[in-house]
Amino acid sequence: MWSYRALSRIDFRVLPIIFALMLISLLVISSYSVEPGADFSEDVFFTPQVKRQIEGFLLGGAVFALVAGFDYNKLREWTWFLYLLMLLMLIGLFFTDPIQRVQRWYKLPLIGINLQPSEYAKLIVVLTLSWFLERRRASSGSLSTALLGGVIVGIPFLLILKQPDLGTALVLYPITLVMFYFGDIKRSVVRLMSCLGLAVLVLVGLIFSGILPHEEIKPYATLVLKDYQFDRLDPNTHHQKAAVTAIAIGGLTGSGWKKSTFSGNGFLPAAYTDSVFPAFGEEFGFIGLLFLLILYYALLYFSFQVVAMAKDQFGRLLSAGISVYLAMHILVNIGMMCGLLPITGVPLVLVTYGGSSSLATMAALGLLQSVYSRRFMF
């Protein structure tokens, strides 16, 4: 089931990328998590948030090794147990006290951390959909397969949307679309989903470009969206403007670590969580952001290589879903911070502060390596 020999066959090219992203995360968190009233330029690296993030990375590293050495084929036996457990955890959130006015986290008092089930739900949905599409391979072109697959994704989608967590819920849509494509789902269904997704992107693009005035479409949009959800489509919010401003201030080389004058003085909301991309850009400039984008390109390139190398349908679907899971987090977060998409709280892979996001990402990367390390085993 678990083999240390499998760890010797992983793609070691991804390890320096992971370490580099973690280092960038710690630099940004250290820079923007100074205590209230303290000097922003104070020479302190190990803030409480940095220490917690390091703990999350260490635990994530252990999870990565555990999952990478585990035979992904054995996950078939655990699929429905994990899926039902995920649903129970998502439903249980509605019986807890809200944290930051939303019901997204379980507060674990004994260890002092918050657990966000939706981060793990995305990975479990990928696993369950992979198992289902492999089992239905003989009837993949039937409408019933597409409908049942939609139900598997739709239940957690609605539960996450209800929290509310629109960004996390919407990440499931492109994951499902790509997995339906690789699973040979009825082509008319895939085309319909593609057209719907493209239509939404075009609509958002028209709003953010100013071609469709935000306020003029409000009476129509609020027929299907709540007021607070529609307000996120406003390209002129303080958060949107602050993110673009921080990137612009960074210029070519940036202001330098802990020398930010805009983000460092609190003008950029959520500097080391949702807005970590522009916060990093202000300090390290275009060159720093280009380096970060190169790291992400390499990570995604190696991830999608696993899809081509997978030895079976289950591994191919699993690696495709995980690769898109990583890609969407990167593209959506950067798109939000560049003023191209509404801000919905999607974390930036391995850089955004947060234990649940880090653990889920390391588990996902470990699963990819489990598929990769067994590519020549029969």
Side-chain angles (χ1 to χ4, degrees):
M1 184 175 292
W2 189 89
S3 171
Y4 71 91
R5 294 180 180 176
L7 297 179
S8 66
R9 295 190 292 267
I10 68 172
D11 188 352
F12 288 95
R13 296 174 297 177
V14 303
L15 296 184
I17 298 172
I18 293 173
F19 292 144
L21 292 171
M22 289 179 173
L23 177 58
I24 290 173
S25 175
L26 297 179
L27 287 173
V28 177
I29 294 170
S30 176
S31 184
Y32 295 102
S33 61
V34 292
E35 294 296 331
D39 183 4
F40 174 70
S41 61
E42 186 179 351
D43 188 18
V44 176
F45 183 82
F46 292 101
T47 65
Q49 290 84 354
V50 169
K51 292 177 183 177
R52 282 196 291 269
Q53 189 76 342
I54 291 175
E55 292 172 358
F57 285 156
L58 291 175
L59 182 58
V63 170
F64 175 86
L66 179 66
V67 176
F70 187 84
D71 186 354
Y72 69 93
N73 289 292
K74 299 295 183 180
L75 288 174
R76 293 182 177 91
E77 304 167 10
W78 293 86
T79 297
W80 283 106
F81 170 77
L82 292 173
Y83 184 80
L84 292 175
L85 178 62
M86 170 198 69
L87 294 183
L88 289 175
M89 292 185 70
L90 291 175
I91 293 171
L93 285 172
F94 301 111
F95 300 94
T96 62
D97 295 328
I99 299 177
Q100 298 178 12
R101 296 180 297 177
V102 293
Q103 292 170 301
R104 298 180 189 173
W105 297 275
Y106 285 105
K107 194 170 185 178
L108 306 180
L110 296 179
I111 54 179
I113 62 173
N114 295 332
L115 177 69
Q116 186 175 1
S118 60
E119 288 297 330
Y120 307 100
K122 290 174 284 190
L123 191 55
I124 294 174
V125 166
V126 170
L127 172 63
T128 308
L129 199 55
S130 299
W131 175 88
F132 172 76
L133 292 176
E134 184 195 39
R135 290 289 298 267
R136 299 278 295 200
R137 189 172 186 177
S139 58
S140 60
S142 67
L143 186 59
S144 62
T145 299
L147 291 174
L148 289 173
V151 170
I152 289 173
V153 180
I155 296 174
F157 176 90
L158 293 174
L159 290 173
I160 294 172
L161 193 63
K162 184 68 176 176
Q163 294 178 2
D165 191 353
L166 178 62
T168 298
L170 290 181
V171 167
L172 292 175
Y173 189 87
I175 291 175
T176 305
L177 174 59
V178 172
M179 293 188 69
F180 273 14
Y181 174 80
F182 278 96
D184 294 324
I185 291 296
K186 193 176 182 65
R187 286 294 174 243
S188 59
V189 174
V190 175
R191 283 194 293 268
L192 177 61
M193 291 180 65
S194 301
C195 290
L196 288 174
L198 182 60
V200 171
L201 283 177
V202 170
L203 179 61
V204 171
L206 291 174
I207 294 173
F208 273 71
S209 64
I211 297 176
L212 283 179
H214 179 263
E215 290 302 319
E216 289 186 13
I217 65 169
K218 184 173 183 177
Y220 309 100
T222 50
L223 294 175
V224 293
L225 296 176
K226 295 181 180 179
D227 287 340
Y228 75 89
Q229 292 174 328
F230 177 74
D231 289 340
R232 293 176 179 173
L233 293 174
D234 186 357
N236 297 311
T237 62
H238 169 68
H239 200 164
Q240 292 278 6
K241 290 184 175 180
V244 175
T245 300
I247 295 173
I249 290 174
L252 181 62
T253 59
S255 59
W257 185 54
K258 284 184 176 282
K259 295 181 180 179
S260 165
T261 57
F262 182 78
S263 302
N265 287 312
F267 296 111
L268 176 66
Y272 58 91
T273 53
D274 292 347
S275 305
V276 68
F277 184 78
F280 178 72
E282 183 177 355
E283 291 194 338
F284 295 92
F286 174 77
I287 293 176
L289 291 178
L290 181 61
F291 176 68
L292 179 60
L293 292 175
I294 291 172
L295 289 176
Y296 280 134
Y297 172 81
L299 182 66
L300 293 179
Y301 179 79
F302 296 144
S303 297
F304 279 102
Q305 274 192 336
V306 180
V307 182
M309 294 179 178
K311 68 173 185 177
D312 57 20
Q313 179 73 348
F314 180 64
R316 189 174 300 110
L317 288 165
L318 190 60
S319 53
I322 292 173
S323 297
V324 177
Y325 159 89
L326 296 171
M328 290 310 302
H329 278 77
I330 295 167
L331 293 174
V332 170
N333 183 277
I334 294 176
M336 293 187 309
M337 295 301 114
C338 292
L340 301 175
L341 294 172
I343 295 177
T344 55
V346 175
L348 188 59
V349 170
L350 291 179
V351 177
T352 294
Y353 173 76
S356 293
S357 174
S358 298
L359 287 178
T361 299
M362 291 302 287
L365 291 170
L367 268 177
L368 278 176
Q369 294 310 309
S370 178
V371 176
Y372 181 87
S373 64
R374 292 167 176 81
R375 63 196 182 282
F376 297 132
M377 297 176 66
F378 301 95

